[in-house]
Amino acid sequence: LDRKMYAINANNGSRIWEYNATGGFQTNPLVVNGVVYAGNRDGNFYAIHATGANAGRLKWRYPTGGAILYSAAYADGVIYFASSDMYAYALRDNGSISPGMLAGATNLQFEHDVHVGDELDIAIRETAVIDKIHLVDFTIERHPDRTPIAKGEIKICLWDA
């Protein structure tokens, strides 16, 4: 991979701009309000101006402790993504951490099973809360024979507003 992100003219295929990063982009880009958001294998989450005088230039970059291999989501001015450092992130569109996403939920305890069609069962269990870090075990099994597909632990950090 060439470690670049490209904006291409959909009408004629010409390059509009390119952005060079230190690692490769494996995620799908998220475009919101003239900004391209994408995680990178270098562990940074990038916000790049998509249009205007700064098109193709870095707006901000947020470092994480591991490669970002999954695409981000956006809602109400907040970008959500996960890193291979085992943390989920919620950033404002200016690159700052979005506090209070689950304000007051520091004593949250939950257990939940989800059935996805006739094919998958997902079990989620909170196992501990240590200084606002929630440890959550999950399993994904193929239904009805309960063949394991994935199993692991997720750490969720909560910040107060």
Side-chain angles (χ1 to χ4, degrees):
L1 298 173
D2 66 3
R3 300 178 179 157
K4 295 181 181 181
M5 179 182 295
Y6 298 94
I8 305 294
N9 184 312
N11 294 321
N12 61 25
S14 65
R15 185 179 305 162
I16 300 170
W17 56 259
E18 67 181 59
Y19 180 82
N20 194 16
T22 59
F25 289 96
Q26 184 170 324
T27 65
N28 293 320
L30 173 69
V31 182
V32 179
N33 298 327
V35 178
V36 179
Y37 300 99
N40 193 286
R41 288 190 309 236
D42 67 5
N44 289 298
F45 190 82
Y46 290 86
I48 302 163
H49 294 281
T51 60
N54 290 320
R57 293 190 181 140
L58 183 67
K59 179 177 180 183
W60 53 260
R61 176 179 62 208
Y62 189 88
T64 71
I68 301 169
L69 306 175
Y70 302 100
S71 301
Y74 177 88
D76 300 323
V78 179
I79 301 112
Y80 301 91
F81 67 95
S83 172
S84 61
D85 64 2
M86 300 300 290
Y87 288 94
Y89 293 84
L91 301 180
R92 291 186 181 122
D93 52 14
N94 66 4
S96 64
I97 291 177
S98 184
M101 293 309 299
L102 296 173
T106 55
N107 294 318
L108 176 69
Q109 296 288 321
F110 64 86
E111 182 173 317
H112 194 66
D113 293 324
V114 179
H115 303 284
V116 182
D118 293 331
E119 297 182 13
L120 298 178
D121 288 331
I122 302 171
I124 304 168
R125 311 262 186 280
E126 182 176 68
T127 58
V129 180
I130 303 168
D131 192 28
K132 297 186 183 180
I133 298 175
H134 295 252
L135 303 178
V136 179
D137 287 331
F138 72 91
T139 57
I140 302 174
E141 298 175 333
R142 190 171 312 281
H143 187 75
D145 65 359
R146 307 203 62 83
T147 304
I149 296 173
K151 184 176 184 178
E153 180 180 79
I154 301 171
K155 296 176 185 174
I156 302 173
C157 295
L158 304 177
W159 288 270
D160 291 330

